[in-house]
Amino acid sequence: MMRETDFFFNNPHEHRVCDEQRFTTRLQHNFCTYVDKNQEQLLLHEAANNPVTFEFQYNHVKSSRGFRAVFDQYGYDRALEMFSELLNNGRGSVIPDLCYHDPENITHNRLVVEVKCGSTSPYSIYHDLRKLRLYTDPEVLNFQTGIFLHVLSPNIDPIISVKNWVSRNPRSVPINTPNYDELRNNNYIATPAPVFGISYYIWRINNPVFGRDGFFNTNCIEEIEINSNSFDGSCFV
């Protein structure tokens, strides 16, 4: 349902630009419109005797307090240990670009999307994929579907880009990153691959195509399924 004006706008210099924040806002609007029209077919609601109201949220903070409220101590300690660079030892938060879930209970989660537009650093891709690992982990947030959506992505495959980044030493990690020294100096780095039996997806749109009716042609999306074997190699743990 998206149109070319949802992807691009002309800046004051008349250059066609795909802005990440503007695109994500338009994406949220289109998701909401689609879901409202197709609720029964999508089976997005629980049984009538246990209704759940799902909402789309943009840049929604899932704080450490929110994690602690829904996990037992073992589950919370496990999340802190496995995703220390995201949760920052209980002082951090996890912010998905776009999510569809029950905001009253972060264990009722349906869809999470991380968005990047244009060229971005391999570390930024890795960081988003790590968040997708956390979101889709059945013992953490248990999102049913996770997508890394890269619009106007460079030619290099994001998996190769991340592998190249982790193989370099010292690591090119932004200095304000939590656990900067650990990431930069450690020979191994936590894998962005999901747990065994779980998948999430990379959707690349290198050249958006629009039909005669003006709507985006989804056939131009390149889909890559990420599973537990996608980031095998000596650099990951």
Side-chain angles (χ1 to χ4, degrees):
M1 298 177 63
M2 297 188 73
R3 296 177 177 270
E4 189 167 5
T5 53
D6 294 325
F7 281 76
F8 302 103
F9 74 99
N10 291 330
N11 67 10
H13 302 289
E14 296 301 316
H15 295 146
R16 197 169 72 152
V17 175
C18 182
D19 177 76
E20 193 169 298
Q21 181 174 354
R22 184 177 183 275
F23 172 81
T24 306
T25 302
R26 296 304 302 163
L27 183 65
Q28 179 190 22
H29 173 77
N30 278 273
F31 267 134
C32 290
T33 301
Y34 179 80
V35 168
D36 286 343
K37 292 182 178 179
N38 298 274
Q39 287 188 13
E40 292 185 5
Q41 297 91 320
L42 294 172
L43 301 176
L44 291 172
H45 295 283
E46 303 292 331
N49 60 351
N50 186 27
V52 176
T53 302
F54 294 100
E55 295 179 5
F56 273 108
Q57 295 181 321
Y58 172 49
N59 274 353
H60 178 64
V61 176
K62 290 184 180 295
S63 67
S64 294
R65 178 182 298 177
F67 277 83
R68 190 179 288 110
V70 297
F71 292 128
D72 58 24
Q73 191 60 48
Y74 168 79
Y76 182 66
D77 289 345
R78 176 181 175 276
L80 285 180
E81 179 181 1
M82 292 187 62
F83 303 99
S84 60
E85 84 282 12
L86 299 177
L87 297 176
N88 196 18
N89 295 321
R91 296 184 296 275
S93 63
V94 182
I95 308 177
D97 287 336
L98 181 65
C99 65
Y100 186 72
H101 73 147
D102 172 15
E104 300 300 322
N105 186 332
I106 66 172
T107 60
H108 289 157
N109 296 316
R110 292 296 185 265
L111 171 70
V112 61
V113 182
E114 292 292 330
V115 178
K116 285 289 182 288
C117 295
S119 297
T120 187
S121 71
Y123 172 76
S124 294
I125 297 174
Y126 166 80
H127 188 256
D128 279 358
L129 299 187
R130 276 289 291 170
K131 287 197 289 183
L132 288 175
R133 176 188 169 95
L134 179 149
Y135 300 143
T136 58
D137 189 326
E139 296 189 46
V140 188
L141 293 181
N142 194 30
F143 272 93
Q144 294 181 354
T145 303
I147 298 172
F148 175 73
L149 177 59
H150 200 168
V151 184
L152 303 182
S153 62
N155 290 329
I156 186 170
D157 184 294
I159 297 177
I160 295 175
S161 177
V162 169
K163 285 184 175 181
N164 289 344
W165 170 70
V166 301
S167 67
R168 293 197 296 267
N169 191 15
R171 305 191 188 285
S172 55
V173 181
I175 196 166
N176 61 346
T177 302
N179 296 356
Y180 165 78
D181 289 329
E182 178 183 337
L183 286 173
R184 182 172 61 90
N185 296 322
N186 198 337
N187 290 329
Y188 298 94
I189 191 167
T191 179
V195 298
F196 182 78
I198 303 297
S199 297
Y200 62 79
Y201 302 89
I202 294 173
W203 284 8
R204 300 176 71 197
I205 306 175
N206 292 325
N207 183 29
V209 176
F210 304 90
R212 292 183 179 180
D213 57 1
F215 290 110
F216 172 66
N217 185 347
T218 57
N219 291 330
C220 69
I221 298 176
E222 175 193 1
E223 180 179 273
I224 305 171
E225 182 176 359
I226 304 300
N227 56 44
S228 57
N229 296 321
S230 298
F231 289 92
D232 54 349
S234 59
C235 296
F236 295 102
V237 292

